[in-house]
Amino acid sequence: MRIQLKPWLFIVMIILYGVVFLIPFSGAVHLFDWDEIIFAESAREMMVSGDYLTVTINYEPFWEKPPLFIWLQVISMKIFGINEFAARFPNVLCGILTLISLYLVGRRIHGEKFGMLWAIAFGTAILPFFYFRTGIIDPWFNLFIFHGFSFFIFYLSPERFSRRYLYVGLSALFLGLAVLTKGPVAVLVFALSFLIYLTYVRGRIAVKVSHILVFMGILAVTGGFWFVLAIIDGNLQVVRDFLSYQAGLFTDDFAGHGGFPGFHFVILLFGVFPASVLMLSGFQKKREEDRFAQAFRTWMYILFFLVLILFSIVQTKLVHYSSLAYYPMTFISAWVVYQWLERKIEIRRWQIVMLGIISLVLIILTGLIPLVLRNPGILIDRYAQSLSPHVVGVLKSEAGWGYIHYIPAFILFAGMVAALYRITKRDYKGIIFLFTTSLLFTFSSLLLFVPKVERMIQGAAIDFMKAHSGPEKHVITMGFKSFAPCFYGGWLPGEIPQRMNDQWLGEVSERKPVFVVMKADNSNKFFKEYPMLEKIHEENGYVFAVFEKTGGNR
């Protein structure tokens, strides 16, 4: 299989991919609590306060994240306005830049075909595609780390890349940007990978003291300048809290997000499908064309296992924590497909069986979701004793599930049958069908499922917040923590205290309406605790109320 394509033409194709698959409907769904709303609200508060140095939530220092991604969202909001699309657009841009980066780096390793395969493997995998349409930090964080690794590998290969000061400097620059995006875990991952690689090659690398000084200097300046500015600005405690939080990630279970030790293995197996299965035949010794290609593949092996092990140890189990592994996984899968097309290795029968089994699981899941949610009584009657009133209300939501929602399952079934048949015949069209099917399945699932799911779990609450917010009234939550009232209510500095109490509620409700969102689980407790609280209505597992002493309109 020969591919003759000018580099600029494939880059144009990647941009069209972003226009067709990433941009459409990116702002059609409310931001999800917590992460998406937290970052978007921090960006909004920067714009309101004019303080672009301090990350805040409810105008109080928010020490969990550095500001780089928030700055990107601020720029986006200044262009597109304060809305969902603007909050997510930076990651749409990141998706396009990521695929272009993989293509260009891949070309330097094995040539045009491999660069294309790497970009395609990444852009058609389930979770990588999904995260490019969200407003969370990780896509940019991972892209910066990837470039930090890539340029460092270039630096360690003087036989192919002679401008060593340039590459070691760029490596440090991008790692510093990663620190500014999410924190020092970027440097930790790089340092551990380097130590493992150094052990693997028995210390046989060419490094000069001047190179080390350049690397450390640029890394310190880039990654540390916000921390220095924060200290100069009098926010030393914020820096201390930030570092304490970063250290606690490895020992504490934040916000109840625990999980079993194999959590990330399962997430990566299903979430990076089909690349996750293709890569499994890539763990073998095979002589490459040159030492640089061998070194790059070694670094990718190290990065994959390090991320998998490191975040399996971390007590907090969140899906996106292992997202850095998407890079080595898609690299190895692209290498497998590249070698398969060159008839140098085989995609094993057990891999074809695994592709079929995982596809079948996904088909069943995407088929069961509309089936069950069109008939929620199936779950409610069976698990009535264990379901909370809030969950029952969510399940009973009128989200409008119909036969159209079986389309993703049908796409995956038909596409995988064609793909696996072609692969067994060693026809390269099987790989085309495989990646195309994955992309269409993921894209159709996002368009058809995400709006319905969001509508069920938080749509009614956010609609109420938007309808009852403004300068002459307040909307708050009781019994659960949410940052949605901040963003969708447009809170201003000093309006809502960090810890609301009876005195504040009493004082404010005498002057303006205070509307309340509660979950059905604990609403009765609050009605007893606050006799002046008057119920308005109940919907989708939420109870909406207002303090009856208020004189405003509802």
Side-chain angles (χ1 to χ4, degrees), residues 77-318:
M77 288 180 182
K78 286 184 178 291
I79 297 172
F80 301 109
I82 300 174
N83 53 52
E84 292 88 351
F85 178 80
R88 293 172 177 142
F89 181 74
N91 279 347
V92 171
L93 183 61
C94 181
I96 295 171
L97 293 176
T98 296
L99 299 188
I100 292 174
S101 298
L102 296 181
Y103 168 62
L104 294 177
V105 172
R107 286 179 71 238
R108 304 184 82 172
I109 302 171
H110 287 296
E112 190 80 22
K113 187 195 303 184
F114 179 80
M116 292 173 59
L117 287 171
W118 194 0
I120 292 170
F122 198 104
T124 59
I126 296 174
L127 282 180
F129 180 89
F130 173 74
Y131 281 133
F132 289 149
R133 292 175 57 93
T134 68
I136 66 172
I137 286 177
D138 296 79
W140 280 100
F141 179 64
N142 295 333
L143 178 60
F144 289 143
I145 294 179
F146 167 73
H147 279 303
F149 271 78
S150 296
F151 283 118
F152 193 78
I153 300 170
F154 293 168
Y155 160 75
L156 291 179
S157 305
E159 67 277 3
R160 184 184 283 198
F161 307 104
S162 58
R163 293 175 290 181
R164 305 196 75 200
Y165 280 105
L166 172 64
Y167 290 124
V168 76
L170 288 173
S171 174
L173 173 66
F174 280 105
L175 288 174
L177 291 174
V179 173
L180 275 182
T181 304
K182 197 171 182 179
V185 68
V187 177
L188 174 64
V189 171
F190 174 80
L192 291 175
S193 299
F194 176 70
L195 290 175
I196 295 171
Y197 182 78
L198 193 64
T199 303
Y200 175 78
V201 298
R202 300 177 183 178
R204 295 193 298 268
I205 60 173
V207 177
K208 295 181 179 180
V209 174
S210 59
H211 297 161
I212 297 174
L213 293 176
V214 168
F215 181 88
M216 298 300 293
I218 294 177
L219 177 60
V221 171
T222 307
F225 91 94
W226 173 75
F227 299 95
V228 173
L229 291 178
I231 294 171
I232 294 173
D233 198 45
N235 287 329
L236 176 60
Q237 187 58 45
V238 172
V239 176
R240 287 175 176 170
D241 291 339
F242 170 80
L243 295 175
S244 176
Y245 170 80
Q246 294 293 318
L249 288 174
F250 292 90
T251 57
D252 301 328
D253 170 15
F254 284 94
H257 293 295
F260 63 99
F263 174 85
H264 286 294
F265 174 82
V266 175
I267 291 299
L268 292 174
L269 181 63
F270 282 85
V272 195
F273 181 84
S276 58
V277 178
L278 294 174
M279 68 172 283
L280 294 177
S281 60
F283 297 100
Q284 55 182 278
K285 288 185 177 181
K286 191 171 182 64
R287 186 171 297 279
E288 304 281 1
E289 294 179 0
D290 55 35
R291 288 190 297 174
F292 168 67
Q294 289 180 337
F296 206 102
R297 189 152 63 99
T298 300
W299 275 90
M300 292 297 100
Y301 290 155
I302 292 171
L303 181 59
F304 168 70
F305 285 111
L306 179 64
V307 170
L308 182 61
I309 295 171
L310 188 63
F311 290 102
S312 294
I313 295 172
V314 172
Q315 293 300 306
T316 304
K317 298 291 191 294
L318 292 171

Side-chain angles (χ1 to χ4, degrees), residues 16 60 63 65 83 88 102 113 141 172 175 180-181 189 191 223 256 303 329 352-353 367 398 418 422 515 542:
L16 289 175
E60 294 289 332
W63 34 259
K65 298 293 183 291
N83 53 52
R88 293 172 177 142
L102 296 181
K113 187 195 303 184
F141 179 64
L175 288 174
L180 275 182
T181 304
V189 171
L303 181 59
M329 291 178 72
I352 296 174
V353 172
E398 295 293 334
R422 291 286 185 175
F515 294 91
Y542 292 94

Side-chain angles (χ1 to χ4, degrees), residues 275 295 457 536:
I457 65 175
I536 299 176

Side-chain angles (χ1 to χ4, degrees), residues 267-500:
I267 291 299
L268 292 174
L269 181 63
F270 282 85
V272 195
F273 181 84
S276 58
V277 178
L278 294 174
M279 68 172 283
L280 294 177
S281 60
F283 297 100
Q284 55 182 278
K285 288 185 177 181
K286 191 171 182 64
R287 186 171 297 279
E288 304 281 1
E289 294 179 0
D290 55 35
R291 288 190 297 174
F292 168 67
Q294 289 180 337
F296 206 102
R297 189 152 63 99
T298 300
W299 275 90
M300 292 297 100
Y301 290 155
I302 292 171
L303 181 59
F304 168 70
F305 285 111
L306 179 64
V307 170
L308 182 61
I309 295 171
L310 188 63
F311 290 102
S312 294
I313 295 172
V314 172
Q315 293 300 306
T316 304
K317 298 291 191 294
L318 292 171
V319 174
H320 56 268
Y321 273 22
S322 57
S323 57
L324 181 58
Y326 302 166
Y327 285 87
M329 291 178 72
T330 52
F331 171 87
I332 298 169
S333 69
W335 181 85
V336 168
V337 174
Y338 177 77
Q339 298 288 342
W340 182 77
L341 292 173
E342 297 292 321
R343 297 187 174 273
K344 294 180 179 179
I345 65 173
E346 295 295 329
I347 295 176
R348 307 294 183 183
R349 289 191 177 275
W350 59 265
Q351 287 177 279
I352 296 174
V353 172
M354 278 192 69
L355 287 169
I357 291 174
I358 294 177
S359 298
L360 182 61
V361 172
L362 294 173
I363 290 167
I364 292 172
L365 288 176
T366 51
L368 281 177
I369 289 173
L371 175 64
V372 171
L373 294 180
R374 287 179 66 194
N375 306 278
I378 297 174
L379 287 178
I380 295 172
D381 294 341
R382 184 177 180 86
Y383 301 102
Q385 300 300 319
S386 58
L387 295 177
S388 70
H390 173 69
V391 172
V392 171
V394 168
L395 290 174
K396 290 182 176 179
S397 303
E398 295 293 334
W401 295 93
Y403 291 111
I404 191 175
H405 295 95
Y406 294 106
I407 288 178
F410 175 78
I411 289 174
L412 186 58
F413 175 77
M416 289 303 296
V417 169
L420 297 183
Y421 173 77
R422 291 286 185 175
I423 292 174
T424 57
K425 299 297 183 182
R426 230 189 183 291
D427 184 349
Y428 73 91
K429 293 178 183 177
I431 297 299
I432 297 175
F433 290 160
L434 183 66
F435 287 136
T436 303
T437 298
S438 176
L439 175 62
L440 295 178
F441 165 75
T442 306
F443 183 61
S444 62
S445 297
L446 287 175
L447 292 189
L448 294 173
F449 283 74
V450 172
K452 299 297 182 184
V453 172
E454 188 276 332
R455 181 77 240 160
M456 293 178 66
I457 65 175
Q458 65 173 28
I462 291 181
D463 285 348
F464 184 86
M465 294 171 190
K466 292 167 70 174
H468 295 84
S469 298
E472 300 302 323
K473 47 191 171 183
H474 286 310
V475 60
I476 61 174
T477 60
M478 279 187 171
F480 71 103
K481 191 171 183 178
S482 170
F483 296 100
C486 305
F487 184 79
Y488 289 104
W491 286 4
L492 296 174
E495 278 192 323
I496 312 291
Q498 285 289 303
R499 296 184 180 275
M500 287 172 283

